[in-house]
């Protein structure tokens, strides 16, 4: 305060752009965006409609099937993916526990959501990762975008998503994918860039085309890294479905949200543990599966 | 035209963003160190002229960093030249378009790498058929061909192993089988045996020599080991700082090294295995005496034959069996133990 009496006003109080101008700018951006949404809303809805169908279909399959079928199929998938009895038994026990506390249906909804989000992230992430690995220019362009996507508080991009798509499952799905796709892209890029230069040279020397090189050399050798990316994407989807419940995604996340609002301590933790349970199942299974794909790299002698 | 020879002509390679701009200063005599210091470009190769005869093994030898890998990669254009040409059957590899180059690599060349460069996720058999697979040859046919080569290189029974399950020597056999399965005229081997233990290396050299007797491919073999060069090379070119300092047969290089650098290289060589009898024979005087020795026999073999037969004198015969000179055991042993000087060689 005292110092300010000696300093010119300009150096003491930050010369912010005046409120009127900021309000104008904000209003024109917001209005522009709203106008855009109004004029293209139908088109956008049509584009994302298939997502809605796919999600609804999967949710019906998960929730509608008798629990015993779902459990058997899940255990079978985990066993054939991991070939690990411990993980398989752990899966069966956690799912039974989840059922006993009455969270089976909500868990199924969350599972359907995470499955769809992961698939979409893979479908979007791998091609972008490949493009990035092929060109330094693309990498220089995509990397900062990924940085923003990963550091922006996830609540913030719920705003445009809701403005464009409204409230519901599909907007939630889109928000989750935006949040979960960066590791998929990054690790695909990294995996391909780390492929042994001499092996690539050999592929060139035998006259491989770009596609043959990608299919026979780069993707198979990058697979362990890509698997790590899938694993991270799953984990991030699981984290984000809770946040996305704020815009209308059902399942365990919604219960957590209600528990926060009403201070239901037990309900909150039960749902939280159910999320932890499926996170661990996904994580261990995908890691064990990844390791199994790498069987050939075990050194026996030499 | 179809001599299957490779002709490298006036080849320059300068690494760096503006390599072309410095070809002229290099032609005017700027050396590798100066170019790097003044212009930040690396001189890879300068003014390379080598004729690699068809059906022969040409060895390119030099110390690490002398440009051997750079040179061999120009033959299938894994590296683009800054100036010059690489001719095969009259076509300049450096001027091929992308598609022609791919066809050339698929059908005319095959390469073996120092660190094997096998695909770790594929079995021995799947690695071996790689070349045929990308040519689009039917799986059953390519497996049949690959199995033959796997057996030839001594890997029968290992078809379904993964590279990581094999020792270095065996992995390089896979590398060799993969290259041979491609059935190409040109076989490029970049320090293919340098990573192997000495005994296994000699073994693999024998495998190559045996195969070459029958296949008569145009082989370009890179090594930093003079013994390996002398054993394998029908012709040897020695590189130093990206420049050919001498080329010729092994015998020519051992007997008249072009400079101190090569002299130092050849000092430790076992001459008995390099020098041929006709090089040190004297003209025939009168009738041929003693054992007949074919021209091209190396001194060590000649000495062994003569001592085995308890005979001190022999005569050298040419390919048609005509006597062309005389030789005795003493001369042979003397030539094996004392470096033959330049003047001796001219007198002979
Ligand atoms: N891509 C490159 N960029 C810059 N310099 C290179 C490159 N490749 C090779 N060199 C340089 O060219 C010279 C010859 O290298 P190389 O052909 O690999 O030698 P060698 O195979 O005989 O050991 C070395 O000085 C090396 O540093
Ligand atoms: Mg090298």
């Amino acid at each position: 305060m005292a110092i300010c009496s000696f300093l010119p006003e300009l150096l003491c109080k930050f010369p912010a752009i005046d409120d009127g101008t900021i309000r104008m700018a904000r209003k024109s951006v917001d209005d522009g965006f709203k106008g855009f949404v109004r004029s293209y809303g139908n088109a956008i809805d049509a584009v994302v409609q298939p997502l809605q169908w796919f999600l609804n279909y999967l949710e019906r399959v998960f929730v509608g099937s008798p629990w015993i079928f779902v459990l058997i199929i899940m255990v079978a998938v985990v066993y054939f993916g991991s070939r690990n009895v411990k993980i398989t038994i752990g899966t069966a026990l956690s799912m039974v526990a989840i059922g006993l506390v009455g969270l089976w249906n909500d868990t199924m909804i969350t599972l359907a959501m995470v499955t769809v989000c992961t698939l979409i992230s893979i479908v979007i992430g791998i091609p972008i990762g490949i493009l990035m690995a092929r060109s330094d220019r693309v990498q220089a362009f995509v990397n900062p975008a990924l940085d923003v996507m990963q550091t922006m508080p996830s609540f913030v991009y719920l705003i445009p998503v809701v403005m464009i798509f409204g409230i519901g499952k599909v907007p939630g799905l889109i928000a989750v994918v935006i949040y979960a796709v960066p590791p998929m892209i990054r690790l695909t890029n990294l995996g391909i860039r780390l492929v042994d230069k001499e092996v690539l040279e050999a592929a060139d020397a035998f006259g491989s085309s770009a596609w043959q090189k990608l299919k026979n050399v780069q993707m198979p050798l990058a697979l362990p890294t890509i698997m790590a990316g899938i694993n991270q994407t799953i984990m991030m989807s699981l984290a984000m479905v809770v946040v996305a419940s704020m815009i209308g995604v059902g399942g365990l996340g919604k219960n957590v949200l209600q528990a926060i609002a009403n201070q239901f301590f037990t309900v909150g933790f039960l749902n939280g543990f159910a999320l932890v349970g499926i996170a661990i199942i996904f994580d261990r299974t995908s890691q064990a599966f990844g390791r199994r794909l790498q069987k050939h790299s075990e050194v026996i002698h030499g | 035209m179809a001599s299957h020879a490779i002709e490298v002509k006036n080849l320059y390679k300068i690494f760096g963003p503006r390599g072309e701009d410095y070809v002229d200063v290099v032609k005017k005599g700027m050396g590798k160190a100066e170019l790097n210091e003044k212009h930040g470009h690396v001189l890879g190769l300068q003014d390379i002229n080598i004729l690699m005869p068809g059906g022969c093994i040409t060895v390119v030898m030099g110390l690490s960093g002398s440009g051997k890998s750079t040179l061999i990669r120009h033959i299938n254009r894994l590296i683009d030249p800054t100036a010059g040409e690489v001719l095969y059957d009259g076509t300049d590899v450096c001027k091929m378009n992308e598609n022609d180059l791919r066809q050339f690599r698929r059908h005319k060349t095959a390469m073996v790498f120092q660190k094997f460069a096998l695909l770790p996720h594929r079995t021995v058999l799947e690695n071996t058929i790689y070349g045929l697979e990308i040519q689009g040859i039917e799986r059953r046919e390519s497996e049949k061909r690959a199995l033959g080569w796997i057996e030839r290189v001594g890997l029968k029974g290992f078809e379904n192993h993964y590279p990581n399950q094999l020792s270095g020597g065996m992995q390089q056999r896979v590398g060799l089988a993969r290259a041979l399965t491609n059935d190409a005229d040109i076989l490029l081997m970049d320090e293919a045996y340098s990573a192997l233990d000495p005994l296994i290396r000699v073994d693999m050299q024998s495998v190559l020599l045996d195969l070459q007797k029958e296949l008569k491919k145009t082989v370009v073999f890179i090594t930093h080991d003079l013994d390996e060069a002398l054993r394998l090379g029908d012709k040897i070119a020695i590189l130093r700082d990206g420049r050919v300092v001498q080329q010729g047969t092994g015998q020519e290089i051992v007997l008249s090294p072009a400079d101190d650098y090569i002299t130092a290289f050849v000092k430790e060589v076992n001459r008995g295995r390099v020098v041929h009898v006709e090089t040190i024979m004297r003209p025939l005087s009168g009738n041929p005496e003693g054992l007949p020795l074919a021209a091209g026999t190396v001194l060590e073999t000649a000495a062994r034959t003569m001592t085995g037969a308890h005979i001190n004198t022999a005569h050298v015969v040419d390919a048609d069996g005509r006597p062309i000179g005389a030789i005795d055991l003493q001369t042979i042993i003397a030539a094996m133990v004392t470096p033959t000087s330049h003047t001796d060689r001219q007198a002979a």
Side-chain angles (χ1 to χ4, degrees):
Chain A
M1 268 306 130
I3 294 177
C4 273
S5 47
F6 304 108
L7 281 176
E9 161 95 13
L10 187 67
L11 295 182
C12 213
K13 185 165 178 297
F14 203 98
I17 304 169
D18 74 89
D19 281 354
T21 320
I22 289 205
R23 203 173 315 121
M24 287 281 291
R26 212 169 50 203
K27 194 165 149 28
S28 59
V29 171
D30 284 357
D31 288 351
F33 194 68
K34 279 181 192 147
F36 167 81
V37 171
R38 253 196 309 280
S39 29
Y40 294 97
N42 290 337
I44 294 171
D45 284 348
V47 169
V48 296
Q49 190 60 42
L51 290 180
Q52 178 90 51
W53 291 330
F54 185 40
L55 189 58
N56 284 344
Y57 170 76
L58 215 66
E59 219 177 271
R60 265 203 309 279
V61 170
F62 274 61
V63 179
S65 308
W67 68 268
I68 187 72
F69 281 7
V70 177
L71 185 62
I72 288 172
I73 289 173
M74 238 181 115
V75 167
V77 167
V78 168
Y79 178 72
F80 287 108
S82 67
R83 294 292 161 105
N84 183 318
V85 179
K86 263 202 228 159
I87 297 176
T88 313
I89 292 175
T91 302
L93 290 182
S94 358
M95 291 313 290
V96 167
I98 285 172
L100 283 178
V101 297
L103 292 175
W104 183 269
N105 275 2
D106 290 330
T107 304
M108 286 304 118
I109 293 172
T110 300
L111 227 46
M113 182 80 186
V114 170
T115 307
V116 176
C117 291
T118 306
L119 289 179
I120 293 176
S121 298
I122 292 172
V123 169
I124 295 175
I126 289 183
I128 297 181
I130 291 172
L131 285 180
M132 240 172 122
R134 298 179 73 84
S135 143
D136 288 338
R137 296 249 306 271
V138 174
Q139 177 174 253
F141 176 75
V142 174
N143 248 339
L146 295 181
D147 290 337
V148 172
M149 282 162 78
Q150 283 188 301
T151 41
M152 178 78 75
S154 41
F155 301 95
V156 173
Y157 49 68
L158 292 181
I159 302 165
V161 168
V162 170
M163 284 172 72
I164 300 176
F165 302 103
I167 298 270
K169 273 182 269 184
V170 169
L173 182 135
I174 289 167
V176 174
V177 169
I178 294 175
Y179 184 73
V181 80
M184 194 67 248
I185 299 176
R186 275 196 214 278
L187 288 168
T188 302
N189 174 35
L190 182 72
I192 293 177
R193 282 180 184 262
L194 286 182
V195 168
D196 184 356
K197 291 283 167 298
E198 210 181 25
V199 178
L200 274 184
E201 201 173 40
D204 274 331
F206 282 90
S208 312
S209 64
W211 166 246
Q212 287 170 328
K213 230 167 34 179
L214 183 69
K215 172 171 71 94
N216 297 326
V217 183
Q218 291 170 309
M219 289 308 279
L221 297 199
L223 198 58
T225 317
I226 294 177
M227 283 302 296
I230 294 179
N231 178 286
Q232 283 199 26
T233 293
I234 296 174
M235 295 301 115
M236 294 183 68
S237 317
L238 271 169
M240 188 63 188
V241 284
V242 178
V243 176
S245 62
M246 287 168 53
I247 57 169
V249 171
L252 297 170
K254 197 170 104 198
N255 297 349
V256 172
L257 200 69
Q258 283 169 357
I260 295 173
N262 302 313
Q263 302 182 5
F264 292 157
F265 174 75
T266 324
V267 174
F269 267 88
L270 277 181
N271 281 279
F273 279 127
L275 277 166
V276 171
I278 47 181
I280 293 177
I281 293 171
F282 271 124
D283 181 62
R284 294 301 133 86
T285 309
S286 62
Q287 279 193 28
F289 181 65
R291 271 198 302 279
R292 234 157 44 75
L293 287 180
Q294 289 311 103
K295 261 268 181 284
H296 56 74
S297 59
E298 271 169 26
V299 177
I300 291 191
H301 74 82
Chain B
M1 258 297 153
S3 64
H4 299 327
I6 304 165
E7 212 177 339
V8 181
K9 279 186 174 169
N10 308 319
L11 189 71
Y12 285 81
K13 177 68 194 181
I14 298 168
F15 290 105
R18 289 187 300 129
E20 304 80 35
D21 298 358
Y22 299 112
V23 173
D24 281 333
V25 292
V26 169
K27 278 184 180 164
K28 286 200 190 94
M30 183 178 283
K32 182 169 177 164
E34 198 184 352
L35 182 74
N36 194 6
E37 210 162 283
K38 276 202 184 139
H39 303 294
H41 279 55
V42 178
L43 182 51
L45 294 172
Q46 53 177 320
D47 197 22
I48 305 282
N49 287 283
I50 303 176
L51 176 68
M52 302 171 171
C56 291
I57 302 183
T58 302
V59 173
V60 177
M61 201 190 78
L63 297 178
S64 170
S66 57
K68 308 179 295 292
S69 297
T70 308
L71 175 57
I72 201 171
R73 276 164 180 68
H74 277 87
I75 295 169
N76 56 359
R77 224 176 95 194
L78 288 174
I79 296 180
D80 278 305
T82 311
E85 41 193 24
V86 177
L87 302 170
Y88 176 72
D89 281 353
T91 317
D92 187 353
V93 178
C94 306
K95 292 206 175 65
M96 287 180 180
N97 64 29
E98 199 178 329
N99 193 43
D100 289 348
L101 178 63
R102 191 150 60 229
Q103 295 309 324
F104 174 74
R105 285 174 177 170
R106 283 183 185 175
H107 300 289
K108 300 291 183 195
T109 72
M111 193 159 181
V112 185
F113 295 82
Q114 176 169 8
K115 290 191 227 113
F116 323 133
L118 302 172
L119 295 170
H121 61 291
R122 289 180 164 217
T123 61
V124 169
L125 179 60
E126 289 164 345
N127 263 292
T128 310
I129 62 169
Y130 187 78
L132 299 181
E133 182 186 313
I134 59 176
Q135 287 173 28
I137 288 173
E138 193 224 349
R139 176 86 180 202
R140 201 140 35 99
E141 163 70 15
S142 41
E143 282 190 5
K144 200 177 86 203
R145 280 154 69 175
L147 285 171
W149 288 114
I150 289 174
E151 186 167 355
R152 276 304 294 272
V153 301
L155 283 176
K156 198 173 166 56
F158 291 95
E159 294 84 357
N160 295 319
H161 282 58
Y162 286 100
N164 267 316
Q165 302 172 322
L166 304 176
S167 66
M170 288 164 92
Q171 289 190 41
Q172 195 55 298
R173 284 172 199 261
V174 182
L176 191 58
R178 173 173 70 176
L180 292 169
T181 303
N182 224 23
D183 199 17
D185 294 329
I186 302 174
L187 183 58
L188 305 171
M189 305 179 75
D190 185 8
E191 304 219 29
Y193 299 161
S194 297
L196 307 180
D197 296 336
L199 282 179
I200 296 171
R201 192 194 284 198
V202 172
D203 236 28
M204 293 294 285
Q205 289 166 2
S206 309
V207 170
L208 180 64
L209 286 171
D210 284 349
L211 287 166
Q212 175 65 359
K213 264 189 214 131
E214 173 188 325
L215 301 175
K216 298 265 173 258
K217 288 183 187 293
T218 305
V219 181
V220 183
F221 192 100
I222 304 285
T223 181
H224 58 249
D225 175 8
L226 185 62
D227 286 323
E228 187 164 71
L230 292 169
R231 176 136 192 254
L232 297 177
D234 296 308
K235 177 172 181 178
I236 299 173
I238 299 183
L239 280 189
R240 181 188 188 182
D241 287 344
R243 188 199 298 271
V244 177
V245 281
Q246 186 171 12
Q247 53 182 318
T249 63
Q251 190 178 216
E252 282 161 7
I253 286 169
V254 169
L255 290 180
S256 52
D259 63 13
D260 294 347
Y261 175 74
I262 301 173
T263 308
F265 249 124
V266 302
K267 213 165 59 194
E268 306 299 332
V269 163
N270 180 347
R271 283 154 202 284
R273 292 194 187 154
V274 179
V275 180
H276 296 175
V277 283
E278 70 271 22
T279 312
I280 58 162
M281 70 190 181
R282 51 177 194 278
L284 270 182
S285 50
N287 283 334
E289 291 174 27
L291 280 177
L293 294 170
T297 310
V298 295
L299 299 186
E300 198 179 73
T301 314
R304 199 181 311 123
T305 316
M306 289 165 77
T307 44
H310 301 288
I311 292 178
N312 272 336
T313 52
H315 61 279
V316 181
V317 296
D318 64 13
D320 302 324
R322 274 191 304 267
I324 51 173
I327 199 164
D328 59 49
L329 199 53
Q330 191 136 32
T331 323
I332 292 178
I333 296 193
M336 277 165 70
V337 295
T338 48
T340 321
S341 76
H342 197 69
T343 42
D344 285 345
R345 188 170 140 270
Q346 281 178 332

